[in-house]
Amino acid sequence: MLLKALREGLGRLIVFINFVTRPRPMQRSEEAQARVNEEASSLTLYQFYACPFCVRTRRAIHRLNLPIETRDAQNNTIDRQALKDGGGEIKVPCLRIEEAGGTRWMYESMDIISYLEERFGTPVSYTHLTLP
């Protein structure tokens, strides 16, 4: 009981710190953002609200300015069962990816973030400065 309360309290603290230190969303042209919105409509994130790995994943989603639907696999029994039936286990975060060939379920926050960065991120361009 005490351990559960401690874990929940720490999770809420992580969520608060994330809110306070949230990165700015990536800026795109209207046309580019419309294309990203269309592509992101095939993605769904199954998550627990106060899970640190889910917070990390949602933070990357916010930074990449992606309108990805989130599902509460902790408190919503329908979403929890969909995660178990589709992905094979109740483990979060999990990204459901709808593709032409079917549905793919991706676990592990760093794998999800890498996938999103590769698909929606833009390469960083460095400007060479000449010193006087």
Side-chain angles (χ1 to χ4, degrees), residues 22-66:
R22 195 176 228 189
R24 287 191 170 157
M26 177 184 286
Q27 297 299 309
R28 299 182 184 91
S29 68
E30 285 186 36
E31 299 82 25
Q33 187 63 47
R35 283 192 304 273
V36 165
N37 293 351
E38 179 64 31
E39 285 186 45
S41 68
S42 65
L43 305 174
T44 305
L45 180 70
Y46 288 80
Q47 49 100 38
F48 293 173
Y49 179 71
C51 163
F53 301 104
C54 297
V55 170
R56 177 193 307 174
T57 305
R58 289 194 311 264
R59 190 175 176 88
I61 289 169
H62 177 78
R63 183 178 44 77
L64 291 167
N65 200 7
L66 302 173

Side-chain angles (χ1 to χ4, degrees), residues 59-99:
R59 190 175 176 88
I61 289 169
H62 177 78
R63 183 178 44 77
L64 291 167
N65 200 7
L66 302 173
I68 295 177
E69 178 184 358
T70 59
R71 300 277 176 94
D72 182 4
Q74 185 172 19
N75 298 311
N76 186 317
T77 56
I78 295 170
D79 291 337
R80 187 178 186 87
Q81 191 60 45
L83 176 60
K84 176 123 171 80
D85 293 345
E89 57 185 315
I90 299 172
K91 180 179 172 188
V92 293
C94 181
L95 185 68
R96 186 183 78 200
I97 307 165
E98 298 290 330
E99 300 172 312

Side-chain angles (χ1 to χ4, degrees), residues 6 12 24 35 39 55 64 85 110 113 118 123 125 128:
L6 180 63
R12 299 288 174 177
R24 287 191 170 157
R35 283 192 304 273
E39 285 186 45
V55 170
L64 291 167
D85 293 345
M110 291 310 294
I113 292 168
E118 184 178 312
S125 62
H128 298 289

